[in-house]
Amino acid sequence: MSDFISLNKQDIFNPLQKVFGIVDRKNTMSILANVLLEKNNGKLNLISTDTEIQISTSIDAENADNEESITINAKKFSDILKSFRDDDNLLLDLDNDNERMHIKCGRSRFALQTLPAEDFPKLELDEEDLNTFTLTQKEFKSLLKQTQYSIAVQDIRYYLNGLLLSVKEHKIVTVSTDGHRLAYAAKTISETLPTQDVIIPRKTVLELIRLLPDDSKDINISISKSQIKFEFNDITIVSKVIDAKFPDYEAVFPKEFTKAVLVDRNEIITAIQRVSIVSADKSRGVSLSLSAGNLTLIAENTEQEEAKEDIEVEYNGEDFNIGFNVQYLLDVLTNMSCNQVIFRFTNEDSSGLITSNEYSVEGEDLCNLPIESDGENESAEESKSYFRYVVMPMRI
């Protein structure tokens, strides 16, 4: 039996949780249920993959100077570590034939089956035509969070099962759509970037949101034709991209509006949550009834039950009624950070547009406000954020 490594429980448990999220326990390739432990140059690397995405992280380890690697079942290893106290010290040993790893902690002993590291399908980034740029982790996480909820799930139109990351000159854009709604977020930057579009799979987007902290440290993003790499803190994520062309999202945005209403974001969120208690389970619809200075939210079900709530709003147009899916409204409103939002409509059969009130001016017609800044009087060094959400109405 040979010593593999000895370390504190917490030193390895936290890094293991970072890579654990993508471990595929149901795949026919049993090695995909394992985590690769790789030691060299005084570091222990932990790597997981499902062949589409790979997450790796590393920790300093005093006894990891020699090169050696093995894979063990990630779920069992995590559960074993979870059972120990944070300050417990562990010793990991390998059989002479490397077929089992022995985990020792105090009086506890475990022996887990291993699989050879050579069989682990590591992803290597394609370095050809690589486009690299940097954002703060907080900025990039915000772009993802504002758009991830509209990604389709297992749609036969596979290009909808991911999030578009579009890079063009001074702007970075994320877009997602499931065919019923579309979310768009953009960030301007000072550096000039070459134009490039890639579709990031939904699983990769969700892992990034889970792992990215809300801080001002940088994330380095490298894009090739078939892959994308994210490097931040002690984590590296390499993911394949969806090989398809994303729909022309600009054509989805309504160009003209006849009605617009300014409403407090938190107030309408709580009102929608309350009235939706009695909404029909299948349709989950809510009606928005507008009159001068007032918005009435109405939900009903097949048992002739009803809920209504009035909200004071800024609106001076004619009476108007339109219906939407409750969840489609809550998804966007709970992922925005502004205090007030603007709803714009053309008629009850056309898509509605939801934006922040960033460019509103007191006394100006809300229907004619710019969706994004026209760029005048802005410094090239000044960073701006933009958001738009288009949602189809529903018959109620």
Side-chain angles (χ1 to χ4, degrees):
M1 189 177 294
S2 62
D3 291 348
F4 184 76
I5 200 165
S6 61
L7 69 178
N8 179 267
K9 174 250 178 140
Q10 205 63 16
D11 289 343
I12 190 170
F13 181 71
N14 289 337
L16 180 61
Q17 300 314 299
K18 295 175 183 177
V19 305
F20 184 70
I22 63 167
V23 171
D24 192 348
R25 299 193 295 272
K26 298 179 181 179
N27 198 290
T28 53
M29 292 177 60
S30 56
I31 200 166
L32 295 182
N34 286 15
V35 60
L36 174 63
L37 304 179
E38 197 177 58
K39 61 174 186 171
N40 57 59
N41 299 324
K43 287 189 176 293
L44 177 65
N45 302 317
L46 292 84
I47 305 172
S48 65
T49 184
D50 66 357
T51 72
E52 299 293 322
I53 174 178
Q54 174 178 290
I55 303 178
S56 59
T57 188
S58 62
I59 56 173
D60 294 324
E62 293 179 359
N63 50 350
D65 293 327
N66 60 315
E67 292 189 8
E68 194 174 7
S69 54
I70 198 72
T71 77
I72 60 171
N73 185 280
K75 175 71 165 61
K76 293 175 183 175
F77 189 36
S78 175
D79 287 346
I80 290 170
L81 293 177
K82 197 180 297 182
S83 70
F84 298 138
R85 295 187 300 266
D86 289 350
D87 58 350
D88 281 343
N89 292 316
L90 313 175
L91 177 63
L92 309 184
D93 294 330
L94 285 173
D95 282 346
N96 293 330
D97 56 7
N98 282 359
E99 289 186 354
R100 293 206 304 175
M101 172 170 280
H102 297 263
I103 304 169
K104 302 175 183 177
C105 178
R107 296 183 180 183
S108 300
R109 302 286 187 274
F110 296 86
L112 296 184
Q113 224 176 20
T114 62
L115 290 172
E118 304 80 54
D119 297 339
F120 192 82
K122 291 176 70 173
L123 291 177
E124 301 295 339
L125 184 68
D126 181 7
E127 301 287 344
E128 186 178 352
D129 297 326
L130 207 60
N131 178 14
T132 301
F133 61 93
T134 300
L135 279 177
T136 69
Q137 295 173 28
K138 184 176 182 179
E139 288 172 339
F140 188 61
K141 185 176 183 178
S142 176
L143 287 173
L144 298 178
K145 286 187 70 175
Q146 289 181 86
T147 50
Q148 57 82 22
Y149 49 83
S150 292
I151 300 174
V153 180
Q154 296 181 335
D155 197 293
I156 57 172
R157 299 163 293 180
Y158 58 94
Y159 49 83
L160 299 184
N161 297 320
L163 179 143
L164 174 68
L165 176 63
S166 179
V167 181
K168 184 178 181 181
E169 296 181 348
H170 296 287
K171 185 178 287 187
I172 298 170
V173 174
T174 57
V175 185
S176 69
T177 180
D178 59 9
H180 303 285
R181 52 184 173 162
L182 182 147
Y184 163 102
K187 182 78 177 177
T188 60
I189 57 175
S190 57
E191 60 183 305
T192 303
L193 301 173
T195 300
Q196 192 166 10
D197 291 352
V198 292
I199 304 175
I200 309 172
R202 181 175 182 269
K203 187 174 183 178
T204 303
V205 173
L206 296 180
E207 282 302 307
L208 282 164
I209 292 172
R210 181 178 75 89
L211 294 170
L212 278 168
D214 290 309
D215 62 35
S216 57
K217 292 181 181 178
D218 285 342
I219 176 172
N220 296 316
I221 303 171
S222 302
I223 306 173
S224 69
K225 290 183 178 179
S226 60
Q227 293 172 313
I228 187 166
K229 180 169 75 170
F230 307 92
E231 296 173 289
F232 56 98
N233 301 338
D234 56 354
I235 298 172
T236 300
I237 298 178
V238 177
S239 172
K240 294 180 180 178
V241 297
I242 296 175
D243 184 16
K245 182 176 176 58
F246 200 79
D248 179 11
Y249 61 86
E250 288 288 354
V252 176
F253 295 122
K255 301 298 187 292
E256 295 181 353
F257 307 97
T258 59
K259 302 163 186 68
V261 55
L262 180 67
V263 58
D264 182 271
R265 185 177 66 90
N266 288 323
E267 188 174 357
I268 193 172
I269 287 174
T270 54
I272 291 173
Q273 289 171 334
R274 278 192 289 267
V275 300
S276 65
I277 293 172
V278 301
S279 64
D281 291 337
K282 290 185 178 180
S283 64
R284 292 282 290 165
V286 61
S287 294
L288 280 64
S289 180
L290 282 166
S291 58
N294 186 76
L295 168 63
T296 303
L297 298 169
I298 308 168
E300 301 173 338
N301 60 32
T302 55
E303 297 174 345
Q304 296 185 333
E305 296 173 327
E306 183 183 69
K308 289 184 180 181
E309 183 159 343
D310 292 324
I311 302 175
E312 187 176 334
V313 297
E314 184 179 320
Y315 178 74
N316 55 13
E318 61 185 33
D319 291 357
F320 176 69
N321 293 282
I322 191 168
F324 292 106
N325 180 291
V326 166
Q327 198 56 51
Y328 291 173
L329 293 182
L330 289 177
D331 282 342
V332 60
L333 293 169
T334 55
N335 281 282
M336 298 175 76
S337 58
C338 55
N339 293 326
Q340 293 180 305
V341 295
I342 301 174
F343 287 71
R344 306 185 214 200
F345 311 106
T346 303
N347 56 59
E348 62 182 17
D349 298 316
S350 300
S351 299
L353 179 72
I354 300 176
T355 63
S356 74
N357 69 327
E358 182 175 359
Y359 301 111
S360 63
V361 178
E362 187 173 353
E364 188 171 354
D365 183 1
L366 294 176
C367 289
N368 298 320
L369 289 177
I371 305 300
E372 291 189 13
S373 168
D374 57 13
E376 291 185 8
N377 303 319
E378 285 186 11
S379 166
E381 301 295 322
E382 188 177 6
S383 177
K384 288 286 186 179
S385 297
Y386 306 102
F387 175 77
R388 291 182 252 172
Y389 181 78
V390 178
V391 57
M392 292 288 294
M394 64 181 293
R395 293 283 184 182
I396 299 177

